[in-house]
Amino acid sequence: MRIFGKGRHRPSASWRQATDRAFTLIGDGRYEDAGALLTRAADLEPWLSESWFNLALLHKFRHDWEQARTAGLRAVALLDRDTGAPDWWNVGIAATALQDWPLARRAWQAYGLRVPGAANDSGEPLGMDLGSAAVRLSPEGEAEVVWGRRLDPARIEVLSIPLPSSGRRWGEVVLHDGVPHGERTTAAGHTYPVFDEIELWAPSPVPTWVVLLEAATEADRDALEQLAADAGFAAEDWSSSVRLLCRMCSESRMPSDEGDGEHLDPHDHSEPGHPGPLGHRTDGQLWVPERECGLAAPAALVRGLLDGWVADSPDSRDWRDLEEVC
């Protein structure tokens, strides 16, 4: 018997029973009970990488990143292949949560990804250029899918303005898992994965505001969004960007822009004729001047942005009922 060798062997029936029962408990949210069973399984078969992988997975679900890193490192030490193992992915997530950048680099590289910088670089990996993706905020609660920029394999910077019910802000960085739950496609045919948020990694100091606009045309609305972007912040017309989807639809492959115009989206479960979070569908010809808009900007700047927007075209623009919501 090779106690800590990398040889494969069939795990015992007791190990399988404890592990199967543990994952049933995990599905029920009983993490403490599952942890006791997975610890017993690791005691029974400490030479199996799966024993430590399962413990690392449990600690990830519990957001116990120190324990996840420890168990993950024991798992990868027992692997019988050099690259591509999901054990390394879990180590990468735990290391990213802990800002252990040398280990994060090592983990992503061992998984098979190209990571800029030297292996012993103590700074966070920059310049991975992973592009855009969507992230589902609060996936176990009142979930909301927003757009963001992937900083590395486990982090997304939120570039949409989330609704206040999510508790998230524009510019925040969230930790996510590597398994997409759904996709979003654009009119240009590009497809983007939807990842589930694990937890908030870096908060944003920029508050979220909601304001009612009077914008005579789409160009008036667009002018406010551009004005906010030019100032380094953001504005988003929630009346046209928000759709209510059931969980099945949200976790499927969904067009990101259907529901606007004359093509009514059969998966949109909101009510037509109501702006903002209640729905945004129109007949494709009628522009509704009253718009519910989200703004991400400091308190000292937000009113100046709105007043400047109105001043550029006072006959076609106005605003009222500004409120900080997150």
Side-chain angles (χ1 to χ4, degrees), residues 184-244:
R184 296 296 182 267
T185 60
T186 66
H190 301 299
T191 301
Y192 299 90
V194 180
F195 297 104
D196 283 348
E197 173 195 15
I198 298 177
E199 67 180 17
L200 177 64
W201 190 87
S204 170
V206 181
T208 303
W209 309 80
V210 62
V211 64
L212 288 180
L213 303 180
E214 286 292 332
T217 67
E218 290 183 68
D220 288 308
R221 184 271 318 275
D222 294 345
L224 177 60
E225 294 183 349
Q226 187 61 53
L227 192 65
D230 290 344
F233 299 100
E236 183 175 328
D237 180 7
W238 283 341
S239 294
S240 63
S241 68
V242 174
R243 283 189 295 170
L244 299 184

Side-chain angles (χ1 to χ4, degrees), residues 11-310:
S12 67
S14 296
W15 183 93
R16 293 196 303 272
Q17 290 169 359
T19 300
D20 290 346
R21 176 58 179 160
F23 277 94
T24 299
L25 294 172
I26 288 173
D28 294 336
R30 296 171 59 184
Y31 293 151
E32 292 295 332
D33 294 335
L37 285 171
L38 290 178
T39 299
R40 178 169 176 263
D43 289 339
L44 289 169
E45 306 276 9
W47 47 84
L48 273 182
S49 64
E50 289 89 343
S51 295
W52 305 104
F53 173 84
N54 293 336
L55 269 173
L57 199 62
L58 171 68
H59 293 314
K60 182 180 73 172
F61 294 152
R62 298 174 62 186
H63 303 180
D64 187 341
W65 301 114
E66 292 282 0
Q67 292 291 337
R69 177 173 59 181
T70 299
L73 287 172
R74 295 197 67 169
V76 298
L78 297 167
L79 288 176
D80 57 3
R81 55 175 166 155
D82 294 331
T83 60
D87 309 66
W88 279 114
W89 190 274
N90 282 338
V91 170
I93 292 175
T96 300
L98 295 168
Q99 301 185 46
D100 183 349
W101 301 122
L103 179 58
R105 275 191 180 77
R106 178 185 167 205
W108 303 134
Q109 289 168 349
Y111 187 77
L113 302 178
R114 298 185 62 180
V115 184
N120 60 352
D121 193 336
S122 61
E124 62 184 279
L126 302 175
M128 294 192 72
D129 195 23
L130 297 177
S132 299
V135 60
R136 183 175 291 104
L137 305 175
S138 304
E140 300 305 322
E142 196 168 333
E144 177 184 359
V145 174
V146 298
W147 288 99
R149 177 173 65 96
R150 297 188 71 187
L151 303 179
D152 58 36
R155 293 182 300 157
I156 289 181
E157 179 187 10
V158 175
L159 298 182
S160 299
I161 302 178
L163 296 173
S165 58
S166 72
R168 296 285 176 259
R169 290 176 165 182
W170 170 86
E172 290 187 327
V173 177
V174 297
L175 194 71
H176 71 84
D177 211 335
V179 180
H181 282 167
E183 295 178 331
R184 296 296 182 267
T185 60
T186 66
H190 301 299
T191 301
Y192 299 90
V194 180
F195 297 104
D196 283 348
E197 173 195 15
I198 298 177
E199 67 180 17
L200 177 64
W201 190 87
S204 170
V206 181
T208 303
W209 309 80
V210 62
V211 64
L212 288 180
L213 303 180
E214 286 292 332
T217 67
E218 290 183 68
D220 288 308
R221 184 271 318 275
D222 294 345
L224 177 60
E225 294 183 349
Q226 187 61 53
L227 192 65
D230 290 344
F233 299 100
E236 183 175 328
D237 180 7
W238 283 341
S239 294
S240 63
S241 68
V242 174
R243 283 189 295 170
L244 299 184
L245 302 176
C246 69
R247 179 175 291 273
M248 182 178 296
C249 293
S250 178
E251 294 180 356
S252 66
R253 183 171 185 172
M254 293 293 298
S256 64
D257 55 355
E258 281 191 15
D260 290 317
E262 61 185 354
H263 303 290
L264 301 186
D265 182 358
H267 300 280
D268 190 333
H269 304 291
S270 53
E271 295 296 325
H274 297 278
L278 295 180
H280 69 284
R281 295 177 293 180
T282 70
D283 62 6
Q285 300 176 3
L286 177 64
W287 170 258
V288 180
E290 184 174 274
R291 319 297 296 175
E292 186 177 60
C293 180
L295 277 166
L301 180 65
V302 63
R303 287 175 175 79
L305 277 173
L306 290 165
D307 288 340
W309 172 70
V310 172

